[in-house]
Amino acid sequence: MARITAGVTTSHVPAIGAAWDHGKDGDDYWRPVFEGYEWTRRWIGEERPDVVVLVYNDHASAFSLELIPTFAIGCAEHFEPADEGFGPRPVPPVIGHPDLAWHMAQSIILDEFDLTIVNKMDVDHGLTIPLSLMFGRPDTWPVRVVPISVNVIQFPPPTGNRCYMLGESIRRAVESYPEDLNVHIWGTGGMSHQLQGKRAGLINREFDEAFLDKLTADPGALRKMPHIEYLREAGSEGIEMVMWLVMRGALGPEAKELHRHYHVPASNTALGHIVLQASA
Amino acid sequence: MTDAAGDRPGSHVDLSELDDIPGTTVFTAQRSRKGYFLNQFCMSLMKPENRARFKAGERAYLDEWPMNEAQKQAVLARDYSAAIAEGGNIYFLAKLFLSDGKTFQDAAQSMTGMSSEDYAAMMLAGGRSPEGWRSIKEGR
């Protein structure tokens, strides 16, 4: 039986990818950003997940305004890095797990979540930067990936509660897959940041740290947080944090914090990264 | 939106509150409709051949799109505040500034009225405090 053993969240700031791709990760500005992932790289090297269910948002790369799925699951054999205006990131193609992904799609839809099934999509920095942060610069990624894309660009995104419930449904879907697989679930994006308007540059450390605390101490409170609170407190782009609740919902009722990293700034953004052990 | 749905999460979001956040434009349905072609133009820059054609003649390329004049002027001037006022969304506009070799920090800073040095210093010092930036009507 497949099982979800751990959850990881991380910001996916584009500038992190640029710094990494240009070998600037040892610079004074970037070193503290990357140092917070060293523990995780050692840990994940020992954990050796077979599959990562990677919850991220497409930043107007695969999905334009022509088509805006609230929740989509990638069922393809592989996903190419997207050209976001300056050529694709120089990283390997992302290898999917179509058999598990299709199983999950069926299970989750029959569980009353109306997922969009995607058989062809390029993946942008939202998905590839977390892979770089966890696995460095391999020739091929050492895991297969089932991408779950969440709309957080067109208002309204799904509620935090709905995201959490999707996570619960993902857990049921994975646990009903017959093959013995070690599956991680990642939530990406956040933390506080605003990339537009006169309020650009907003950072709310107090909000972010409370959010990180509540992932283990009181996820029920996070489920009830309305969009307006994210927008006011964590910035217009801070609403990406609803995706972390998909991750949290998939870990079961109890989760244990194994590692935490918080750093300001990564470009315009408060970088947050946490590793959680799932319920047994 | 009413509270008819009871205390379900999200049911308390009043769309009018979205415009109560200082210096912030939430990408609502209305703005998405207004900015549709502006944003789709930006998407077209994901293809290298389109980037080359745009750089070779920006006005002519823009004229292929059913955008209004204010949208076209905002693009030509790389005025991201104006582009957002015309329905642009930052993640779509990113295709434009990234293809110019600019960064999200450059674009964000350009909308604040701050110099790039002052903006960078603010971020290094921990970013912009939310104090006074949460609500226009409540002054907090």
Side-chain angles (χ1 to χ4, degrees):
Chain A
M1 184 181 87
R3 67 211 184 283
I4 291 180
T5 58
V8 175
T9 64
T10 180
S11 309
H12 55 217
V13 181
I16 295 176
W20 184 252
D21 297 342
H22 294 106
K24 293 183 181 166
D25 42 302
D27 291 7
D28 288 346
Y29 183 94
W30 289 107
R31 193 185 316 112
V33 168
F34 289 101
E35 277 177 353
Y37 291 88
E38 288 173 5
W39 182 92
T40 314
R41 275 194 229 151
R42 284 194 302 275
W43 168 82
I44 212 162
E46 293 161 10
E47 290 282 307
R48 301 174 64 88
D50 299 298
V51 181
V52 170
V53 176
L54 207 161
V55 183
Y56 77 111
N57 66 293
D58 178 75
H59 301 77
S61 300
F63 304 122
S64 72
L65 292 182
E66 288 181 1
L67 182 69
I68 308 169
T70 296
F71 294 120
I73 183 166
C75 295
E77 296 278 354
H78 57 86
F79 307 90
E80 296 297 326
D83 181 338
E84 299 179 57
F86 53 100
R89 285 193 67 214
V91 292
V94 174
I95 307 302
H97 196 311
D99 199 56
L100 174 63
W102 273 104
H103 166 84
M104 288 172 63
Q106 293 171 65
S107 169
I108 291 167
I109 290 166
L110 292 173
D111 206 17
E112 303 189 333
F113 272 91
D114 310 315
L115 283 187
T116 299
I117 295 165
V118 185
N119 284 315
K120 179 171 168 51
M121 66 175 178
D122 290 348
V123 289
D124 68 17
H125 68 269
L127 188 139
T128 61
I129 287 174
L131 288 171
S132 295
L133 286 168
M134 293 332 145
F135 296 120
R137 297 183 175 87
D139 293 332
T140 57
W141 299 117
V143 286
R144 296 184 180 221
V145 175
V146 176
I148 304 273
S149 160
V150 181
N151 164 51
V152 294
I153 292 178
Q154 177 68 62
F155 191 88
T159 64
N161 189 53
R162 188 69 175 157
C163 287
Y164 192 97
M165 291 166 70
L166 175 63
E168 293 177 314
S169 188
I170 287 171
R171 184 173 179 85
R172 288 190 286 271
V174 168
E175 288 183 344
S176 63
Y177 187 72
E179 194 181 336
D180 189 20
L181 295 175
N182 180 10
V183 179
H184 283 188
I185 182 153
W186 296 2
T188 75
M191 297 190 84
S192 55
H193 64 306
Q194 174 148 336
L195 305 176
Q196 48 117 347
K198 291 208 179 301
R199 199 171 74 138
L202 181 129
I203 300 287
N204 191 340
R205 175 183 282 267
E206 196 178 337
F207 176 92
D208 290 342
E209 291 186 338
F211 193 95
L212 289 165
D213 290 342
K214 286 175 184 166
L215 283 173
T216 50
D218 192 4
L222 298 181
R223 293 174 71 161
K224 295 190 188 109
M225 189 184 293
H227 289 131
I228 190 72
E229 190 171 340
Y230 288 93
L231 294 167
R232 284 197 204 281
E233 298 292 336
S236 51
E237 280 64 54
I239 200 155
E240 288 177 344
M241 273 185 272
V242 295
M243 294 186 289
W244 292 29
L245 297 182
V246 181
M247 179 280 306
R248 181 60 192 83
L251 299 182
E254 303 296 328
K256 182 182 164 196
E257 181 174 328
L258 301 177
H259 176 66
R260 182 192 292 210
H261 172 42
Y262 184 80
H263 176 79
V264 177
S267 181
N268 303 283
T269 304
L271 179 139
H273 165 51
I274 197 165
V275 179
L276 301 177
Q277 189 175 62
S279 300
Chain B
M1 189 181 289
T2 70
D3 283 349
D7 60 356
R8 288 176 63 90
S11 66
H12 300 296
V13 175
D14 176 352
L15 287 181
S16 70
E17 286 193 292
L18 301 178
D19 288 331
D20 177 52
I21 306 172
T24 302
T25 305
V26 178
F27 195 55
T28 56
Q30 189 185 15
R31 296 195 174 103
S32 184
R33 291 170 67 184
K34 183 178 186 180
Y36 183 83
F37 288 109
L38 167 59
N39 290 315
Q40 294 297 90
F41 145 74
C42 292
M43 286 295 287
S44 77
L45 300 179
M46 291 178 71
K47 293 199 167 92
E49 58 272 27
N50 288 343
R51 292 198 287 272
R53 245 174 13 91
F54 174 62
K55 300 290 180 194
E58 296 197 352
R59 177 76 210 196
Y61 188 90
L62 287 170
D63 284 340
E64 296 172 13
W65 293 84
M67 294 158 59
N68 69 36
E69 187 57 27
Q71 291 172 333
K72 293 179 186 177
Q73 289 301 330
V75 170
L76 292 169
R78 305 298 195 265
D79 181 340
Y80 296 106
S81 298
I84 286 174
E86 286 296 322
N89 173 277
I90 192 65
Y91 290 119
F92 289 83
L93 296 169
K95 310 314 186 239
L96 178 60
F97 61 73
L98 293 175
S99 74
D100 285 337
K102 302 289 189 186
T103 66
F104 272 94
Q105 183 159 333
D106 297 330
Q109 166 263 316
S110 78
M111 289 181 259
T112 61
M114 299 170 73
S115 70
S116 55
E117 292 78 14
D118 287 351
Y119 186 84
M122 176 181 78
M123 294 315 301
L124 282 170
R128 181 187 305 283
S129 164
E131 294 303 320
W133 287 97
R134 291 182 171 97
S135 167
I136 297 167
K137 64 175 187 282
E138 294 171 22
R140 64 182 176 106

